[in-house]
Amino acid sequence: NVVVCLAYVPHETDALIDAESVSAIGPHGVLINPARAELIAPEVLLNALTSEKLGSAAIDGYYIEPTPKNGTDPYGLLSLPPEKLLVTPHCAYLGSHAVEQMSSMAAENLIAISKGEPAPCPIKSS
């Protein structure tokens, strides 16, 4: 079993996990990708799952947002049974500790700005 814990950087880490890597997990292995789906090319994932080179996979988020309805998915992955592919909404950040921390940071920013001070937790654009 393999858990992918990598930052997704568009155009830099697209399809970073290749067919050889996925196949190396084996027909009884599980690939869990809580990062972004784009780290694994959809055709690689579909081929590995349908040819029994990979046992199953779970991805947090899908290649297209909002997730297409079954039958309109251009990659064909959504037609796989959940025992083969589990897709969860990209919401790993919604744990109680993370929500509490985000709320606290937002409150700190509002209080500082209302006093004419710089935000202690500024939002940085990429």
Side-chain angles (χ1 to χ4, degrees), residues 1-2 25-31 49 53-57:
N1 299 339
V2 173
I25 299 168
H28 302 291
V30 178
L31 173 62
L49 290 169
K53 293 178 185 171
L54 177 65
S56 60

Coordinates of all heavy atoms in Angstrom, one line a residue, residues 1-2 25-31 49 53-57:
N1 N 0.8 -1.2 0.0 CA 0.0 0.0 0.0 C 0.9 1.2 0.0 O 1.9 1.3 0.7 CB -0.9 0.0 1.2 CG -1.8 -1.2 1.2 OD1 -2.1 -1.8 0.2 ND2 -2.3 -1.5 2.4
V2 N 0.4 2.3 -0.7 CA 1.2 3.5 -0.8 C 0.3 4.7 -0.6 O -0.8 4.7 -1.2 CB 1.8 3.6 -2.2 CG1 2.5 5.0 -2.4 CG2 2.9 2.5 -2.4
I25 N 3.0 -1.2 -7.1 CA 2.2 -1.4 -5.9 C 1.6 -2.8 -5.9 O 1.5 -3.4 -4.9 CB 1.1 -0.3 -5.8 CG1 1.8 1.1 -5.7 CG2 0.2 -0.5 -4.6 CD1 0.9 2.3 -5.8
G26 N 1.2 -3.2 -7.1 CA 0.8 -4.6 -7.3 C -0.7 -4.8 -7.3 O -1.5 -3.9 -6.9
P27 N -1.1 -6.0 -7.7 CA -2.6 -6.2 -7.9 C -3.4 -6.3 -6.6 O -4.6 -6.3 -6.6 CB -2.6 -7.6 -8.6 CG -1.3 -8.2 -8.3 CD -0.3 -7.1 -8.1
H28 N -2.7 -6.4 -5.5 CA -3.4 -6.5 -4.2 C -3.2 -5.2 -3.4 O -3.7 -5.1 -2.3 CB -3.0 -7.7 -3.4 CG -3.2 -9.0 -4.1 ND1 -4.5 -9.5 -4.3 CD2 -2.4 -9.9 -4.6 CE1 -4.4 -10.6 -5.0 NE2 -3.1 -10.9 -5.2
G29 N -2.4 -4.3 -4.0 CA -2.0 -3.0 -3.3 C -3.1 -2.0 -3.4 O -4.0 -2.0 -4.3
V30 N -3.0 -1.0 -2.5 CA -3.9 0.1 -2.5 C -3.1 1.4 -2.6 O -2.1 1.6 -1.9 CB -4.7 0.2 -1.2 CG1 -5.7 1.4 -1.2 CG2 -5.5 -1.1 -1.0
L31 N -3.5 2.3 -3.5 CA -2.9 3.6 -3.7 C -3.8 4.6 -3.1 O -5.0 4.7 -3.6 CB -2.7 3.9 -5.2 CG -2.2 5.3 -5.6 CD1 -0.8 5.6 -4.9 CD2 -2.1 5.4 -7.1
L49 N -6.1 0.0 -12.8 CA -7.3 -0.6 -12.1 C -8.1 -1.6 -12.9 O -8.5 -2.6 -12.4 CB -8.2 0.5 -11.6 CG -7.6 1.4 -10.5 CD1 -8.5 2.7 -10.2 CD2 -7.5 0.6 -9.2
K53 N -3.4 -4.4 -12.5 CA -2.1 -4.1 -12.1 C -2.0 -3.4 -10.7 O -1.0 -3.3 -10.0 CB -1.4 -3.2 -13.1 CG -1.2 -3.9 -14.4 CD -0.6 -2.9 -15.4 CE -0.5 -3.6 -16.8 NZ -0.1 -2.6 -17.8
L54 N -3.2 -2.9 -10.3 CA -3.4 -2.2 -9.0 C -4.7 -2.7 -8.4 O -5.7 -2.8 -9.1 CB -3.4 -0.7 -9.2 CG -3.6 0.2 -8.0 CD1 -2.5 0.1 -7.0 CD2 -3.8 1.6 -8.4
G55 N -4.6 -3.0 -7.1 CA -5.8 -3.5 -6.5 C -6.9 -2.5 -6.4 O -8.1 -2.7 -6.9
S56 N -6.6 -1.4 -5.8 CA -7.6 -0.3 -5.7 C -6.9 1.0 -5.4 O -5.7 1.1 -5.1 CB -8.6 -0.7 -4.6 OG -8.0 -0.8 -3.3
A57 N -7.7 2.1 -5.4 CA -7.2 3.4 -5.2 C -8.2 4.3 -4.5 O -9.4 4.1 -4.7 CB -6.7 4.0 -6.5

